[in-house]
Amino acid sequence: MKIAIIPARSNSQRIKNKNIISFSGKPIISWPIKIAKKSKIFSRVFVSTDSKKISKISKKFGAEVPFLRPKKISDHKTGILEVIKHAIFFLEKKRVKFNYVCCIFATAPFISKKIIKQSFEKLKRGNFDFVFGAIKIDTKFLRTFYIKNKKLNMLNKSFYSTPNKNYPEAFVDSGQFYWGTKNAWKKNKMIFSKNSSFIILEGEKYNDINTHQDIKKAKKFVNQLQQ
C-alpha cells in the first residue's frame, strides 16, 4: 500500500505563509492534495504540520491531519528525512498499513498523476530506496566557484581541466516530491545515493519555490494546472 505525506510547517522564512499562499485562487497546498487524491494511487493522503491553520485548510481540501508536528522538528534546520520518519512512526502506532511513502511538497502545484505513477513504477521496478524528480541543467555549473575567507574556491576541482565536451550530464533536484520505501525513510538512508534514481521533469514550472520570484515564475504556468 502507498501513502502520501505532505510536509507543511508554519513560519517559513523567505516567503511568509509559503505553504498556504494564494495560488490560482486557492491555498497552494490544496493543489498537491487534490492531485494526490484524484490520482487514486494512494490509500491515504496525510499532511504533517505544526500549524492549526494549515491543518484546517488541509482537511478542507481532503487531506488527513492526525497529529500536529512537534515544534522541535518544525524549524528550518530540520531535514525532510526527520519529518517523514516522525510521521511514519506515528502512523505505525495507529496501525496504518503501508509499504511506500511519497513525500509531496506543499508548493508543488504542477505535480500530476502521470509523474507520480511514472516515478513509483521506477522505484518498484529498479528496487531503489528513493526516486525523485530532477531538472537537467547547463553543465557550465560544474565549474562553479565560491568565495570563502575572501579566497576563491572551486566546488569541484576535478572539472578544472576537463574540456566542456567531456562534461557529464548534470541535474538538480526539482523540489517536487520524493518516493521512497518505508524502510528507507525509517533508516534515514540518503536520498541522493547510488541506490536512488530520478525521472526528468521538463519545463520551468517544475522549480522549487523558495522566493517571491519563484512564485511569479510559477504563476506564468497557472493555466496548465490540472482541473
Side-chain angles (χ1 to χ4, degrees):
M1 295 181 71
K2 303 172 285 293
I3 65 169
I5 298 175
I6 302 173
R9 72 178 181 89
S10 59
N11 299 320
S12 48
Q13 289 189 306
R14 283 173 282 189
I15 304 176
K16 187 177 180 180
N17 298 319
K18 180 178 78 168
N19 293 317
I20 53 173
I21 58 171
S22 178
F23 191 83
S24 190
K26 298 177 184 178
I28 196 167
I29 194 174
S30 70
W31 295 103
I33 290 174
K34 180 173 71 173
I35 292 300
K37 296 277 291 183
K38 288 179 67 175
S39 73
K40 305 296 183 182
I41 293 169
F42 304 106
S43 56
R44 300 170 76 173
V45 177
F46 299 97
V47 167
S48 169
T49 183
D50 60 321
S51 164
K52 291 182 180 180
K53 183 176 182 179
I54 294 176
S55 173
K56 184 177 179 180
I57 291 171
S58 300
K59 290 176 181 177
K60 176 183 176 181
F61 288 96
E64 298 180 59
V65 190
F67 60 85
L68 283 181
R69 196 196 313 169
K71 292 293 181 183
K72 65 180 181 180
I73 57 168
S74 299
D75 58 20
H76 69 280
K77 296 179 181 179
T78 304
I80 198 63
L81 284 166
E82 189 67 24
V83 172
I84 301 303
K85 188 170 70 170
H86 167 268
I88 288 173
F89 283 132
F90 178 92
L91 296 172
E92 283 186 329
K93 287 181 181 179
K94 296 297 180 180
R95 298 184 180 179
V96 178
K97 296 186 181 299
F98 57 98
N99 302 106
Y100 300 95
V101 178
C102 187
C103 165
I104 304 176
F105 289 98
T107 52
F110 300 108
I111 195 168
S112 66
K113 176 182 177 180
K114 180 180 178 181
I115 290 170
I116 295 170
K117 185 176 180 181
Q118 181 185 354
S119 50
F120 174 70
E121 288 175 349
K122 188 165 190 178
L123 175 78
K124 196 170 182 180
R125 185 175 62 249
N127 197 28
F128 295 113
D129 289 327
F130 296 101
V131 169
F132 54 93
I135 301 169
K136 189 174 181 179
I137 61 172
D138 193 319
T139 53
K140 67 183 180 182
F141 290 106
L142 293 174
R143 297 189 71 183
T144 302
F145 58 88
Y146 64 99
I147 303 297
K148 183 177 181 180
N149 297 326
K150 298 182 179 180
K151 293 184 178 181
L152 186 149
N153 298 271
M154 289 195 70
L155 281 175
N156 194 328
K157 294 180 180 179
S158 64
F159 290 106
Y160 178 73
S161 300
T162 304
N164 290 3
K165 64 179 182 179
N166 294 334
Y167 283 178
E169 288 187 309
F171 304 87
V172 65
D173 175 18
S174 65
Q176 305 292 299
F177 69 93
Y178 299 124
W179 263 114
T181 66
K182 181 172 71 170
N183 286 336
W185 286 110
K186 287 175 66 175
K187 292 179 180 179
N188 269 350
K189 291 193 175 183
M190 286 185 64
I191 293 176
F192 305 103
S193 74
K194 291 182 179 180
N195 203 42
S196 293
S197 191
F198 61 90
I199 63 170
I200 299 174
L201 301 182
E202 303 284 355
E204 294 180 52
K205 65 183 179 180
Y206 297 115
N207 278 317
D208 193 7
I209 294 178
N210 284 308
T211 67
H212 290 287
Q213 188 63 31
D214 294 333
I215 290 290
K216 289 181 181 179
K217 288 180 180 179
K219 286 183 176 179
K220 291 181 181 179
F221 304 99
V222 76
N223 292 330
Q224 297 179 33
L225 283 171
Q226 297 200 7
Q227 302 299 323

